[in-house]
Amino acid sequence: MTDENRAAGSEEPAERVVITDEPKEETAEEADVEVEEAETKTPEPGAEPDAVEGEIVDEAFTVHAPPAGGPGAAAAQGTTDDAHQHGLGAELAALRTELDERTRDLQRVTAEYANYRKRVERDRALVVEQATGNVLGALLPVLDDLDRARDHGDLVGPFGAVAEQLIAALTKFGLTVFGSKGDPFDPTRHEAVAHLTSAEVTEPTCIDVMRRGYLLGERLLRPALVAVADPE
């Protein structure tokens, strides 16, 4: 026996593989394991669940999102922009309305304050005028004595100089004297204590002054006492 024969005789016969079309029968244990793996398998996020044999899948209610950048997305973006602009317009209108109300309030308060200031200034001036009138009214009898002294020629020398300074000081406060012979009779400023008729006058005229009158600005402090001559 040669070496080749020995080698041929020592080789083991090759295993024969038979392929059949008959399905391999699964044992009961293998079927149970496959059912458990199918029940415990967790679907990946976003993946659609596998259809179970015998289950009816209703595809009529499946909602498919429009592709990004398509006409639907553009329409949705336009609607969002319009809503945003509408909200801004409403907010701007509300702010303008509030601004108008605050402006009217400010104008009303400003007008009220201006009227208040005018009223206060008017009242202050009236109080000052009344106080000044009271003081000057108390000094009128002194001025009457000075007038009588002047009429009798006694207002001379140092006494006359003091009298002139007093009259000048009172004039600075707005005191004005009126009432002289020949003045037309004014019933609002003159008080007639005697009435005569005369052919020398053409209208009621003051022919004599018993006491001169005084004004404080436009305010009458005291009327003048006069004798009036009426035309014949």
Side-chain angles (χ1 to χ4, degrees):
M1 182 178 296
T2 64
D3 294 336
E4 294 178 0
N5 294 332
R6 292 192 187 94
S10 61
E11 290 180 356
E12 297 180 359
E15 184 178 359
R16 297 179 62 186
V17 178
V18 179
I19 299 175
T20 61
D21 294 335
E22 296 180 0
K24 183 180 179 181
E25 296 182 359
E26 294 181 351
T27 62
E29 294 180 359
E30 292 178 352
D32 293 338
V33 171
E34 290 180 357
V35 171
E36 290 179 0
E37 289 180 354
E39 292 179 353
T40 57
K41 183 179 181 181
T42 303
E44 296 181 358
E48 296 183 357
D50 297 335
V52 181
E53 183 179 357
E55 182 181 1
I56 300 175
V57 179
D58 190 359
E59 296 182 353
F61 296 94
T62 303
V63 178
H64 299 281
Q77 182 65 28
T79 303
T80 304
D81 294 341
D82 293 341
H84 182 64
Q85 292 178 359
H86 179 71
L88 291 178
E91 184 177 358
L92 181 59
L95 291 176
R96 288 178 176 174
T97 302
E98 185 176 359
L99 178 61
D100 293 340
E101 293 178 356
R102 296 296 180 268
T103 302
R104 288 193 294 269
D105 293 341
L106 180 60
Q107 293 174 349
R108 182 173 60 255
V109 171
T110 302
E112 291 177 355
Y113 180 69
N115 294 333
Y116 169 76
R117 287 189 59 184
K118 293 179 180 178
R119 184 170 61 253
V120 169
E121 292 175 358
R122 183 175 61 251
D123 295 343
R124 183 184 294 112
L126 181 61
V127 170
V128 171
E129 183 180 356
Q130 290 177 348
T132 305
N134 293 334
V135 174
L136 296 178
L139 293 175
L140 293 183
V142 177
L143 298 178
D144 293 339
D145 292 339
L146 294 177
D147 290 339
R148 283 189 289 267
R150 184 182 297 106
D151 293 340
H152 289 84
D154 297 333
L155 201 62
V156 294
F159 182 68
V162 173
E164 294 299 331
Q165 290 178 0
L166 177 61
I167 294 173
L170 296 178
T171 303
K172 292 181 179 179
F173 287 96
L175 183 66
T176 304
V177 62
F178 68 92
S180 301
K181 291 182 181 181
D183 291 343
F185 176 73
D186 185 357
T188 62
R189 301 174 63 179
H190 299 124
E191 183 178 351
V193 295
H195 280 273
L196 302 174
T197 58
S198 174
E200 299 178 356
V201 297
T202 58
E203 62 180 355
T205 305
C206 299
I207 59 175
D208 192 11
V209 179
M210 292 77 170
R211 188 184 68 184
R212 294 194 295 178
Y214 290 94
L215 294 171
L216 178 60
E218 299 295 331
R219 176 187 174 190
L220 179 66
L221 286 181
R222 189 183 70 181
L225 296 179
V226 298
V228 181
D230 296 326
E232 294 181 353

